[in-house]
Amino acid sequence: MAGPDVFFIPGTLMPPSCFDGVAVPTGASGATVDWMAEVRPCGMDAVVRHVLGRAAERGPAVLVGHSTGGAIAALAALRRPDLVAGLVLINSGPNMVGHGAVAGMLERLTGPTDDAMWEEFARANVPGGSPGEWIDAMVDYGRRIGGAQAAAILADQAAIDLLDTPPRTGLPVEVLHGALDAKRTIGDAKAWAHVFPDAHLEVLADCGHTPPLERPQAVASALGRLARRIRTARA
């Protein structure tokens, strides 16, 4: 039996190519949802509906969300549990109470933007010395998407606290967190267990905010663990 479709959901201002190095389990198909380009205006409700529309195409899907994409994936699973077979949540959290950068980002995104700002944002996503093509791809994507889209989704995300929702039991969830992340804490990652009691957390040493770029094999391994958990649940 083929595995469920896998949909990758990037973080705010992260190009779809950030997931190019992540392999999906044997028998599954994978696709990245370019939600910042595909949904305008860019609000959480509209993006969640868009993702659920993709998941509905061939039945329950696995959602892999990075940063803001993690919140989108989690909301999708809570709103339509029949369409989500499992989650991988990467360097995210159920709210933005402790987010280390959102206030400053919102202030800057609502004003004039230039390549220097996009580069600053890009470099905050990855460790120093990361490949220049990662930075170039993020700068190009930010330039194409624009500040208004990013500000809209971040403001919406900041207003949501999934810790206020009843926990969703029985859903297989893998949580990954880069230990060197300056934006999100390990506490944010651990908090997912209050929303999804069956969440399993793995902390990645020597990894920052963006494991899909920095540690794609670790993301693929999390997908493999999730696939096995889904098969066991179905047996």
Side-chain angles (χ1 to χ4, degrees):
M1 177 186 296
D5 290 339
V6 177
F7 290 105
F8 298 107
I9 309 171
T12 300
L13 296 172
M14 292 298 299
S17 60
C18 70
F19 281 105
D20 284 357
V22 179
V24 299
T26 302
S29 64
T32 303
V33 183
D34 189 7
W35 55 273
M36 294 204 81
E38 295 165 356
V39 182
R40 292 180 180 268
C42 197
M44 288 292 287
D45 284 341
V47 173
V48 168
R49 289 196 302 271
H50 182 69
V51 169
L52 287 170
R54 295 290 301 273
E57 291 171 2
R58 296 205 306 173
V62 166
L63 304 182
V64 181
H66 165 245
S67 195
T68 296
I72 293 166
L75 270 171
L78 291 169
R79 292 183 181 179
R80 287 295 304 272
D82 57 312
L83 293 179
V84 179
L87 297 172
V88 179
L89 305 176
I90 306 169
N91 285 71
S92 187
N95 58 40
M96 298 185 82
V97 173
H99 194 291
V102 66
M105 288 181 71
L106 281 170
E107 182 177 355
R108 297 190 66 187
L109 287 165
T110 54
T113 60
D114 56 24
D115 282 0
M117 187 195 78
W118 296 128
E119 181 173 346
E120 180 184 337
F121 285 176
R123 292 192 181 280
N125 287 325
V126 292
S130 293
E133 56 263 31
W134 295 359
I135 305 301
D136 293 343
M138 285 185 274
V139 169
D140 180 69
Y141 191 71
R143 187 192 301 128
R144 180 160 62 89
I145 293 299
Q149 280 281 83
I153 196 70
L154 288 173
D156 260 14
Q157 185 184 1
I160 293 171
D161 190 347
L162 296 181
L163 294 179
D164 293 335
T165 63
R168 165 80 195 281
T169 59
L171 181 69
V173 177
E174 294 288 324
V175 178
L176 293 182
H177 188 83
L180 303 182
D181 189 354
K183 295 181 178 182
R184 286 290 195 171
T185 68
I186 294 176
D188 289 324
K190 290 180 177 179
W192 280 121
H194 297 288
V195 184
F196 302 109
D198 297 286
H200 168 263
L201 170 63
E202 180 182 5
V203 177
L204 304 175
D206 301 320
C207 184
H209 183 65
T210 313
L213 286 174
E214 302 169 57
R215 298 280 300 279
Q217 291 181 333
V219 180
S221 293
L223 267 171
R225 290 194 300 272
L226 188 72
R228 292 190 291 273
R229 292 174 65 186
I230 292 170
R231 286 196 298 269
T232 299
R234 289 177 173 177

